[in-house]
Amino acid sequence: DAGITQSPRYKITETGRQVTLMCHQTWSHSYMFWYRQDLGHGLRLIYYSAAADITDKGEVPDGYVVSRSKTENFPLTLESATRSQTSVYFCASSESFWDYEQYFGPGTRLTVT
Amino acid sequence: DAKTTQPPSMDCAEGRAANLPCNHSTISGNEYVYWYRQIHSQGPQYIIHGLKNNETNEMASLIITEDRKSSTLILPHATLRDTAVYYCIVMEDTGRRALTFGSGTRLQVQP
């Protein structure tokens, strides 16, 4: 399917477990982003990537790890999940430095018990 | 990036124009105004952006005041499907390209 997809869409995990959220885009966009959205709040940037093998921290990176070995994939790993990481996670992409529009995935709802 | 202020909620009658204001009094000369919206539980959707001039596309119009301290997003004929949270974002044109979302305005279109 064309576009940007996230998996899983829903995940329940226990405190202390490692969890990986997947993001895949079919456009070969250079930029990819991970945001989290807590109940009743706007989105906050976790990490972003300008190209394969180039990543940088956003506003709330602690407790998360990212990698980008291929242009189309940008997985987000919670190394040791905590209850405060219960949130909805959105992945986004944009074509290039000159592209102002970000395309968002459908989100992953993560619950840490 | 400059801070934005939006009303927390607004109502609009279906078929009428929805005018959503945004205050960004500390905006600097190289910062753009972006508008995104988020329909319930979905990922945000880009609407429009501008720097100085008014802009229009198939979704909306963006009116930026001459001093650039405020802007208005106009949905010319609101439908029930336009019910969403609308975010006004001010961002500098740098390579970072990351968006800073505030609380937005919750627009309820009434039948």
Side-chain angles (χ1 to χ4, degrees), chain A residues 42-63:
Chain A
L43 284 75
R44 293 183 291 172
L45 180 70
I46 305 171
Y47 270 95
Y48 71 101
S49 168
D53 297 322
I54 300 175
T55 61
D56 205 350
K57 297 178 180 179
E59 182 184 356
V60 288
D62 293 344

Side-chain angles (χ1 to χ4, degrees), chain A residues 31 33 35 37 45 97 100 102, chain B residues 34 36 38 95 97-99:
Chain A
Y31 282 78
F33 308 84
Y35 296 87
Q37 185 172 34
L45 180 70
F97 180 91
Y100 297 93
Q102 287 189 20
Chain B
Y34 293 78
Y36 278 74
Q38 187 174 23
R97 280 285 184 272
L99 302 170

Side-chain angles (χ1 to χ4, degrees), chain B residues 5-12 16-24 33-38 47-48 59-65 70-79 82-89 103-109:
Chain B
T5 303
Q6 299 177 252
S9 63
M10 293 182 64
D11 286 345
C12 176
R16 305 298 293 267
N19 296 281
L20 292 91
C22 180
N23 182 286
H24 32 79
V33 180
Y34 293 78
W35 284 84
Y36 278 74
R37 74 180 182 183
Q38 187 174 23
I47 301 173
I48 199 167
M59 289 183 66
S61 294
L62 173 60
I63 308 298
I64 302 174
T65 58
S70 65
S71 61
T72 301
L73 178 75
I74 301 173
L75 307 178
H77 305 287
T79 71
D82 292 322
T83 292
V85 177
Y86 287 77
Y87 296 97
C88 170
I89 300 166
S103 300
T105 295
R106 182 172 298 278
L107 175 69
Q108 181 69 50
V109 180

Side-chain angles (χ1 to χ4, degrees), chain B residues 21-71:
Chain B
C22 180
N23 182 286
H24 32 79
S25 59
T26 61
I27 193 169
S28 62
N30 60 348
E31 288 182 313
Y32 286 75
V33 180
Y34 293 78
W35 284 84
Y36 278 74
R37 74 180 182 183
Q38 187 174 23
I39 297 170
H40 180 65
S41 297
Q42 298 180 19
Q45 177 189 24
Y46 166 85
I47 301 173
I48 199 167
H49 77 279
L51 181 62
K52 294 181 181 179
N53 300 321
N54 298 336
E55 303 287 344
T56 295
N57 63 20
E58 64 278 4
M59 289 183 66
S61 294
L62 173 60
I63 308 298
I64 302 174
T65 58
E66 193 170 341
D67 63 7
R68 301 187 70 238
K69 293 184 177 182
S70 65
S71 61

